[in-house]
Amino acid sequence: MRTRLARTATVVGLGAFVGLISAGVAIGVGEIVAALVRPAAAPIIAVGNKFILLTPESLKDYAIRQFGSNDKNMLLLGIYVAIALLAVVLGVLAIGRLWAGVAGLLIFGAVGVYSAATANAAQGGDGV
């Protein structure tokens, strides 16, 4: 007989797994489409560039001092970690409320499309 805690842990683990897989597939599809259409509009790069534009200069200077030439790699790592954490949360929520997972996936996509479409050198098809 399984305890309630074991069932809860299984559901949470399953939700986390599904969330990570869903985010990975979404990012992978976006990267593949960008590679075929316009590599400069890749979702992670577009979001990273938008984040850099919105970051205060003092924080940018701090990151450059702390990480030197690896500041861009740390930014990308931060984006991937943030996506992974949000994907886990959304995956767990989606186990009980499918609409939460669908809404989260749509928001992820909207952020990527917005970032690509509003970039300085954006072109018409970048939102694809």
Side-chain angles (χ1 to χ4, degrees):
M1 198 158 45
R2 290 176 52 159
T3 66
R4 184 176 196 160
L5 182 60
R7 283 193 305 268
T8 301
T10 300
V11 168
V12 168
L14 178 63
F17 178 73
V18 168
L20 285 171
I21 294 298
S22 298
V25 168
I27 291 169
V29 168
E31 294 290 329
I32 289 169
V33 170
L36 297 173
V37 176
R38 188 167 177 286
I44 297 298
I45 300 302
V47 170
N49 287 339
K50 182 60 71 177
F51 184 82
I52 289 170
L53 288 173
L54 298 174
T55 302
E57 284 299 319
S58 60
L59 186 56
K60 288 181 203 177
D61 293 339
Y62 174 78
I64 291 169
R65 280 194 313 273
Q66 293 300 312
F67 304 114
S69 61
N70 288 320
D71 62 330
K72 305 288 186 294
N73 292 334
M74 293 307 292
L75 171 66
L76 292 174
L77 177 64
I79 290 170
Y80 284 121
V81 168
I83 288 171
L85 291 173
L86 288 171
V88 165
V89 169
L90 287 171
V92 171
L93 287 174
I95 292 293
R97 298 170 201 88
L98 183 59
W99 65 267
V102 173
L105 191 57
L106 291 173
I107 291 168
F108 269 127
V111 168
V113 168
Y114 172 78
S115 297
T118 60
N120 289 338
Q123 294 180 2
D126 286 357
V128 175

